[in-house]
Amino acid sequence: MTDTITVTGNIATPPEHKRTPGGVAITTFRVASGLRRFDRNTSSWVDSGTNWYTVSTFRSLAEHAMASLNKGDRVIVTGRLRLREWDTGAKKGITAEIDADAIGHDLLFGTTRFERGAGVAGAAPASWTAPPTPEAWAVPGTEELEQLLADEAAQVPDEAVPEDVETPF
């Protein structure tokens, strides 16, 4: 079963663009999704923590994300949720990752202007074509991607993982 999630939050790291040896474009970034709740005792909104997600985009979505998104942008991300355990020897934890299906700016906080991407080889699409079949959505080189993400996780400095973070497990 695939868990689909939609998250709103701020891009917390500059988007990073890579290509697999097979030529697949990948753009990754972190999203901080602040949690707020209404406190009836004080009749005000209070912050009650932040959830952090690593967002991965592929192919044309990766190209468009790299060209469109910046650190600090407020976004809406929809995709498949993966919870991945990690262990550096000194610390253990669980990382929430989203393989994005769609990303957009959150228009509650600002404006944006849409520009249709160029088609294959830079040419504009002549007409509408059917979307790819679900089989085409599969990410080639999943082992390659997992290795890239593992390498990235190994480079996270200790101060980037707060001591007091509780996992829901």
Side-chain angles (χ1 to χ4, degrees):
M1 181 173 132
T2 301
D3 293 330
T4 301
I5 186 172
T6 299
V7 173
T8 59
N10 292 80
I11 297 178
T13 60
E16 208 174 298
H17 192 70
K18 300 175 185 173
R19 288 201 180 272
T20 66
V24 176
I26 301 172
T27 298
T28 60
F29 52 90
R30 301 270 290 160
V31 170
S33 179
L35 303 173
R36 294 180 59 89
R37 63 177 179 76
F38 189 76
D39 184 346
R40 291 188 180 171
N41 294 333
T42 63
S43 295
S44 64
W45 288 93
V46 294
D47 292 327
S48 60
T50 302
N51 287 332
W52 292 87
Y53 301 92
T54 299
V55 177
S56 298
T57 61
F58 305 94
R59 297 180 182 81
S60 63
L61 182 57
E63 300 287 353
H64 295 155
M66 189 63 198
S68 304
L69 303 176
N70 296 296
K71 180 179 176 180
D73 287 356
R74 180 79 179 186
V75 293
I76 302 170
V77 178
T78 297
R80 292 170 308 284
L81 176 66
R82 283 190 304 181
L83 298 177
R84 191 181 303 272
E85 293 184 38
W86 55 269
D87 185 350
T88 64
K91 292 183 179 182
K92 292 185 197 181
I94 296 177
T95 300
E97 300 175 355
I98 300 173
D99 289 341
D101 293 324
I103 302 172
H105 285 108
D106 187 346
L107 299 181
L108 181 62
F109 294 89
T111 63
T112 190
R113 186 160 310 276
F114 178 78
E115 182 177 314
R116 183 172 302 278
V120 178
S127 63
W128 181 86
T129 57
T133 62
E135 293 79 28
W137 298 343
V139 178
T142 301
E143 292 171 4
E144 220 172 82
L145 173 62
E146 287 179 357
Q147 185 58 48
L148 283 171
L149 293 172
D151 292 346
E152 183 178 302
Q155 295 174 10
V156 175
D158 284 343
E159 61 271 10
V161 181
E163 294 284 333
D164 60 345
V165 171
E166 293 182 22
T167 61
F169 304 102

